[in-house]
Amino acid sequence: MKYIPPMAWYRRTKMALLALLTLPACGQNKPSTSPTNYDRLLRTLYRNTVPVVQPTQLAATLTQKPGTVVLLDTRTPAEYRVSHLQGAQFVDFDSYEKNTFADLSHDRPVVVYCSVGYRSERVGERLKALGFKDVRNLYGGIFQWVNESRPIYNAAGLTTDIHPYSALWSSWLDKGRKVYE
Protein backbone atom coordinates (compact mmCIF):
# COMPACT_ATOMS: atom_id res chain seq x y z
CA MET A 1 0.00 0.00 0.00
CA LYS A 2 1.49 3.29 -1.10
CA TYR A 3 1.50 6.12 1.46
CA ILE A 4 0.30 9.45 0.13
CA PRO A 5 1.31 12.42 2.33
CA PRO A 6 -1.69 14.51 3.42
CA MET A 7 -0.73 17.57 1.35
CA ALA A 8 -0.14 15.46 -1.77
CA TRP A 9 -3.53 13.79 -1.24
CA TYR A 10 -5.14 17.20 -0.76
CA ARG A 11 -3.56 18.59 -3.95
CA ARG A 12 -4.56 15.49 -5.94
CA THR A 13 -8.10 15.64 -4.57
CA LYS A 14 -8.37 19.37 -5.19
CA MET A 15 -7.26 18.88 -8.80
CA ALA A 16 -9.85 16.13 -9.31
CA LEU A 17 -12.57 18.29 -7.79
CA LEU A 18 -11.67 21.30 -9.88
CA ALA A 19 -11.70 19.16 -13.01
CA LEU A 20 -15.15 17.87 -12.15
CA LEU A 21 -16.51 21.26 -11.22
CA THR A 22 -15.53 22.64 -14.61
CA LEU A 23 -17.51 19.99 -16.48
CA PRO A 24 -20.44 21.45 -18.38
CA ALA A 25 -23.88 20.74 -16.96
CA CYS A 26 -24.63 18.27 -19.71
CA GLY A 27 -26.74 15.16 -19.66
CA GLN A 28 -29.61 16.71 -17.75
CA ASN A 29 -32.09 15.00 -20.06
CA LYS A 30 -30.31 11.65 -19.96
CA PRO A 31 -31.70 8.71 -18.03
CA SER A 32 -30.83 8.49 -14.34
CA THR A 33 -28.43 5.62 -15.07
CA SER A 34 -25.84 8.08 -16.40
CA PRO A 35 -23.10 8.79 -13.87
CA THR A 36 -23.33 11.95 -11.82
CA ASN A 37 -20.44 14.30 -11.18
CA TYR A 38 -20.24 12.76 -7.71
CA ASP A 39 -19.87 9.30 -9.26
CA ARG A 40 -17.13 10.65 -11.51
CA LEU A 41 -15.35 12.14 -8.50
CA LEU A 42 -15.53 8.82 -6.63
CA ARG A 43 -14.04 7.01 -9.63
CA THR A 44 -10.99 9.29 -9.40
CA LEU A 45 -10.61 8.71 -5.66
CA TYR A 46 -11.28 4.99 -5.25
CA ARG A 47 -8.55 2.44 -5.91
CA ASN A 48 -11.16 -0.35 -6.07
CA THR A 49 -9.19 -2.42 -3.56
CA VAL A 50 -12.20 -2.87 -1.27
CA PRO A 51 -15.62 -3.87 -2.66
CA VAL A 52 -18.31 -1.26 -2.20
CA VAL A 53 -21.80 -1.61 -0.80
CA GLN A 54 -24.49 0.77 -1.99
CA PRO A 55 -26.37 2.72 0.70
CA THR A 56 -29.62 1.06 -0.37
CA GLN A 57 -28.11 -2.40 0.13
CA LEU A 58 -26.62 -1.50 3.50
CA ALA A 59 -29.88 0.06 4.73
CA ALA A 60 -31.78 -3.10 3.76
CA THR A 61 -29.27 -5.33 5.56
CA LEU A 62 -29.34 -3.18 8.69
CA THR A 63 -33.16 -3.36 8.70
CA GLN A 64 -33.57 -7.05 7.80
CA LYS A 65 -30.63 -8.43 9.79
CA PRO A 66 -29.90 -5.99 12.63
CA GLY A 67 -26.61 -6.53 14.45
CA THR A 68 -25.02 -8.69 11.75
CA VAL A 69 -22.83 -5.96 10.24
CA VAL A 70 -20.06 -4.11 12.07
CA LEU A 71 -20.06 -0.45 11.04
CA LEU A 72 -16.77 1.43 11.35
CA ASP A 73 -16.73 5.22 11.04
CA THR A 74 -13.22 6.13 9.91
CA ARG A 75 -13.41 9.91 10.10
CA THR A 76 -12.03 12.35 12.68
CA PRO A 77 -13.35 12.58 16.24
CA ALA A 78 -15.06 15.91 15.43
CA GLU A 79 -16.81 14.45 12.37
CA TYR A 80 -18.00 11.43 14.38
CA ARG A 81 -19.31 13.62 17.23
CA VAL A 82 -21.43 15.68 14.84
CA SER A 83 -23.10 12.57 13.40
CA HIS A 84 -22.61 8.97 12.33
CA LEU A 85 -24.58 5.93 11.27
CA GLN A 86 -26.51 4.33 14.11
CA GLY A 87 -24.37 1.79 15.96
CA ALA A 88 -21.15 2.73 14.18
CA GLN A 89 -17.89 2.31 16.06
CA PHE A 90 -15.32 5.08 15.78
CA VAL A 91 -11.92 4.30 14.22
CA ASP A 92 -9.63 7.31 14.11
CA PHE A 93 -8.23 7.57 10.60
CA ASP A 94 -5.10 9.26 11.91
CA SER A 95 -4.06 6.11 13.79
CA TYR A 96 -5.73 3.23 11.94
CA GLU A 97 -2.42 1.86 10.62
CA LYS A 98 -1.42 0.94 14.19
CA ASN A 99 -4.81 -0.57 15.01
CA THR A 100 -4.96 -4.38 15.10
CA PHE A 101 -8.76 -4.43 15.41
CA ALA A 102 -8.33 -7.27 17.92
CA ASP A 103 -11.78 -6.59 19.39
CA LEU A 104 -13.53 -7.40 16.09
CA SER A 105 -14.44 -10.83 14.77
CA HIS A 106 -12.71 -11.65 11.50
CA ASP A 107 -15.80 -13.59 10.40
CA ARG A 108 -18.45 -10.86 10.71
CA PRO A 109 -19.19 -8.56 7.77
CA VAL A 110 -17.59 -5.14 8.24
CA VAL A 111 -18.65 -1.94 6.47
CA VAL A 112 -16.27 1.01 6.67
CA TYR A 113 -17.23 4.56 5.78
CA CYS A 114 -15.97 8.13 5.93
CA SER A 115 -17.19 11.30 4.23
CA VAL A 116 -16.94 10.05 0.63
CA GLY A 117 -15.14 6.70 0.83
CA TYR A 118 -11.47 7.54 0.29
CA ARG A 119 -10.25 7.27 3.88
CA SER A 120 -12.48 4.29 4.61
CA GLU A 121 -11.04 2.44 1.63
CA ARG A 122 -7.57 2.76 3.23
CA VAL A 123 -8.94 1.34 6.50
CA GLY A 124 -10.67 -1.43 4.55
CA GLU A 125 -7.35 -2.33 2.94
CA ARG A 126 -5.83 -2.61 6.43
CA LEU A 127 -8.66 -4.86 7.62
CA LYS A 128 -8.26 -7.13 4.60
CA ALA A 129 -4.49 -7.33 5.21
CA LEU A 130 -5.26 -8.39 8.80
CA GLY A 131 -7.38 -11.28 7.52
CA PHE A 132 -10.91 -9.93 7.77
CA LYS A 133 -13.01 -11.97 5.36
CA ASP A 134 -15.91 -9.67 4.40
CA VAL A 135 -14.99 -5.98 4.25
CA ARG A 136 -16.97 -3.43 2.25
CA ASN A 137 -16.69 0.32 1.73
CA LEU A 138 -19.92 2.35 1.83
CA TYR A 139 -20.22 3.81 -1.66
CA GLY A 140 -20.17 7.60 -1.49
CA GLY A 141 -19.65 7.51 2.27
CA ILE A 142 -21.86 9.25 4.77
CA PHE A 143 -22.40 12.05 2.23
CA GLN A 144 -24.23 9.66 -0.12
CA TRP A 145 -26.11 8.17 2.85
CA VAL A 146 -27.35 11.63 3.88
CA ASN A 147 -28.05 12.71 0.29
CA GLU A 148 -30.37 9.69 0.02
CA SER A 149 -32.22 10.95 3.14
CA ARG A 150 -31.05 8.12 5.36
CA PRO A 151 -30.87 8.65 9.14
CA ILE A 152 -27.78 9.75 11.05
CA TYR A 153 -27.25 10.06 14.79
CA ASN A 154 -25.18 11.77 17.44
CA ALA A 155 -24.95 11.31 21.21
CA ALA A 156 -28.41 12.90 21.66
CA GLY A 157 -30.11 10.73 19.01
CA LEU A 158 -31.43 11.33 15.50
CA THR A 159 -30.01 14.46 13.86
CA THR A 160 -29.77 16.23 10.53
CA ASP A 161 -26.33 17.65 11.38
CA ILE A 162 -23.47 16.49 9.18
CA HIS A 163 -19.82 17.48 9.28
CA PRO A 164 -18.83 18.41 5.71
CA TYR A 165 -15.09 17.77 6.33
CA SER A 166 -14.14 21.07 4.68
CA ALA A 167 -15.61 23.91 2.63
CA LEU A 168 -14.23 22.26 -0.50
CA TRP A 169 -16.03 18.99 0.20
CA SER A 170 -19.26 20.58 1.46
CA SER A 171 -20.48 21.12 -2.10
CA TRP A 172 -21.10 17.35 -2.38
CA LEU A 173 -23.66 17.45 0.43
CA ASP A 174 -27.16 18.15 -0.90
CA LYS A 175 -29.01 17.43 2.34
CA GLY A 176 -28.47 17.76 6.05
CA ARG A 177 -27.39 20.75 8.11
CA LYS A 178 -23.67 21.40 7.66
CA VAL A 179 -21.97 21.73 11.03
CA TYR A 180 -18.27 22.35 11.58
CA GLU A 181 -17.25 21.54 15.12
Side-chain angles (χ1 to χ4, degrees):
M1 172 172 26
K2 180 181 173 188
Y3 173 76
I4 300 174
M7 282 310 295
W9 178 83
Y10 174 78
R11 281 191 298 274
R12 182 176 125 194
T13 303
K14 184 177 176 183
M15 297 284 283
L17 279 172
L18 290 174
L20 286 172
L21 291 173
T22 59
L23 289 173
C26 60
Q28 293 176 352
N29 296 324
K30 291 186 179 180
S32 62
T33 56
S34 65
T36 65
N37 284 344
Y38 191 57
D39 292 319
R40 289 182 187 98
L41 167 71
L42 297 179
R43 275 194 232 131
T44 67
L45 296 176
Y46 289 2
R47 294 181 189 167
N48 299 312
T49 53
V50 176
V52 296
V53 59
Q54 294 293 327
T56 303
Q57 295 168 300
L58 178 59
T61 300
L62 294 174
T63 300
Q64 295 166 3
K65 301 175 185 176
T68 59
V69 174
V70 176
L71 294 172
L72 299 180
D73 186 311
T74 65
R75 299 174 299 151
T76 65
E79 289 173 284
Y80 181 83
R81 276 191 302 274
V82 170
S83 62
H84 49 268
L85 274 63
Q86 187 173 30
Q89 298 175 40
F90 174 69
V91 174
D92 193 342
F93 181 75
D94 290 335
S95 61
Y96 81 91
E97 291 174 316
K98 299 173 192 151
N99 196 330
T100 63
F101 300 95
D103 57 331
L104 299 179
S105 168
H106 284 56
D107 297 321
R108 283 186 65 195
V110 176
V111 173
V112 292
Y113 72 89
C114 62
S115 296
V116 299
Y118 177 84
R119 292 176 287 175
S120 52
E121 189 178 47
R122 303 297 74 75
V123 176
E125 291 167 352
R126 170 84 173 138
L127 290 165
K128 287 175 64 177
L130 290 170
F132 284 81
K133 294 176 179 37
D134 186 0
V135 180
R136 307 234 175 234
N137 188 19
L138 179 60
Y139 182 81
I142 197 170
F143 285 13
Q144 184 70 25
W145 185 267
V146 168
N147 286 342
E148 291 181 12
S149 300
R150 301 196 187 284
I152 51 175
Y153 298 81
N154 60 23
L158 189 63
T159 185
T160 60
D161 294 351
I162 180 77
H163 194 298
Y165 185 70
S166 72
L168 181 66
W169 288 98
S170 69
S171 64
W172 299 106
L173 269 170
D174 298 328
K175 297 188 179 171
R177 188 171 78 96
K178 298 171 186 172
V179 174
Y180 295 90
E181 190 179 73

